[in-house]
Amino acid sequence: MSDLTESSQQVNNQRFNAEAAQWDANKKHAEGVTKAFDAIQRYIPAFADGTSKALDVLEIGCGTGLLSFLLAPHVRSLVGVDTADAMVDAFNAKTAALPDPCAANLAAVNVQVHSADDVHLQGAAAALALDRGESGEDLPYRFDLVVSHLTLHHIPELGDLLRTLRDCLRPGGLLALTDYEDFGEDAVAFHPASKRAGVERHGIRKREMEDVIDGVGFNEVRVERAFSLRKEVETEGREGTREMDFPFLICLAKK
Ligand SMILES: C[S@@+](CC[C@H](N)C(=O)[O-])C[C@H]1O[C@@H](n2cnc3c(N)ncnc32)[C@H](O)[C@@H]1O
């Protein structure tokens, strides 16, 4: 990893560690995640044909688990990974507060995943498998679906991440990644000026995502506008705020 990458990751971690305690209280966070969850249900066939309960899911940049806790009741297991320890702590505190935490089918780990065989990732998947009575013969653990919401715009090298995600999937496994679209210079307004450090790109681009995902060997690559989110943004150069609609892309592919 380059020094530049390390420092932008540190900036991100500091930002999200500081925001973790209040993250779930932001109504726009919950609204965006609900729309991402609806989109995943629309685009991933297992949610429509009643087979989603067989899915083992990996979530990149799970944060406090807003999306994870929506998905978990519909799937077999969900492992979330995130680089900000306070976000992961908030996720795991929510898991511990469930009526029966021992029966929980989700867990989060604080790690930047560079390999499908990462020990932290494997350890979390193994613990969930053990909880559901599996013997651990199916090593190393792989996933049926990888999801991610609002994380790709923080990732310096998308090709490296997509290659790792491909390796994390079982053959035939699916990708469903959502983030806001870079639709032009106005997309910069998604983040207030105070939060732009550590943002690698002001949204994701359809063609670029198609090329990167296709380039690492995925099949059936599709990147489509899935929903939009209206939010308050700063008025550049003047005091006050205004409302803006931000389109979101969903990146779909099959291993
Ligand atoms: C904008 S937040 C979104 C959190 C969550 N997905 C949600 O929608 O509530 C982005 C998250 O990605 C995490 N993140 C940033 N870079 C990451 C990386 N390389 N690997 C895993 N997580 C990362 C951050 O710590 C943060 O929790």
Side-chain angles (χ1 to χ4, degrees):
M1 211 193 316
S2 70
D3 288 347
L4 186 68
T5 305
E6 263 168 16
S7 68
S8 85
Q9 189 66 63
Q10 283 164 356
V11 169
N12 271 323
N13 291 349
Q14 280 165 13
R15 175 190 156 196
F16 291 112
N17 282 335
E19 289 190 38
Q22 293 306 317
W23 190 263
D24 290 6
N26 184 321
K27 290 196 174 107
K28 283 293 153 187
H29 292 164
E31 185 184 338
V33 161
T34 301
K35 289 182 171 186
F37 175 57
D38 290 346
I40 291 167
Q41 288 186 300
R42 277 199 315 276
Y43 282 97
I44 300 299
F47 290 93
D49 69 18
T51 59
S52 68
K53 266 290 191 186
L55 299 178
D56 292 320
V57 180
L58 170 64
E59 182 178 355
I60 304 296
C62 60
T64 61
L66 285 178
L67 178 60
S68 334
F69 280 79
L70 289 178
L71 280 168
H74 302 272
V75 302
R76 183 165 80 149
S77 74
L78 186 146
V79 175
V81 297
D82 201 284
T83 45
D85 51 7
M87 296 294 256
V88 172
D89 289 348
F91 183 122
N92 287 327
K94 281 156 59 174
T95 311
L98 289 171
D100 185 2
C102 295
N105 66 341
L106 76 175
V109 274
N110 178 204
V111 64
Q112 186 171 6
V113 176
H114 293 293
S115 158
D117 296 335
D118 177 275
V119 289
H120 304 284
L121 176 62
Q122 290 296 316
L128 292 176
L130 204 64
D131 286 349
R132 56 176 188 264
E134 282 178 23
S135 60
E137 284 163 7
D138 200 16
L139 295 172
Y141 291 97
R142 295 293 184 252
F143 299 87
D144 305 295
L145 174 65
V146 178
V147 300
S148 164
H149 179 62
L150 278 175
T151 301
L152 294 177
H153 69 268
H154 290 294
I155 306 290
E157 296 294 338
L158 287 172
D160 290 350
L161 176 71
L162 267 300
R163 213 169 284 114
T164 304
L165 299 188
R166 178 204 61 200
D167 295 346
C168 287
L169 284 166
R170 298 186 172 117
L174 299 174
L175 208 60
L177 315 176
T178 50
D179 208 337
Y180 71 101
E181 182 177 8
D182 176 358
F183 57 92
E185 61 185 27
D186 285 352
V188 174
F190 189 86
H191 292 92
S194 62
K195 293 187 183 176
R196 287 180 198 157
V199 171
E200 288 293 331
R201 57 187 64 72
H202 295 290
I204 55 172
R205 294 183 182 166
K206 176 176 159 62
R207 267 302 293 276
E208 185 184 358
M209 289 311 302
E210 285 169 347
D211 289 349
V212 173
I213 298 169
D214 187 64
V216 302
F218 277 99
N219 301 305
E220 300 177 28
V221 180
R222 277 162 67 203
V223 178
E224 294 184 7
R225 275 197 183 170
F227 58 91
S228 71
L229 184 70
R230 172 166 290 212
K231 65 178 238 167
E232 207 170 73
V233 298
E234 287 173 344
T235 311
E236 298 287 335
R238 280 183 286 136
E239 281 194 13
T241 57
R242 65 197 161 103
E243 296 232 301
M244 242 181 96
D245 289 315
F246 289 90
F248 274 66
L249 298 176
I250 187 162
C251 306
L252 302 156
K254 187 173 189 172
K255 176 168 173 176

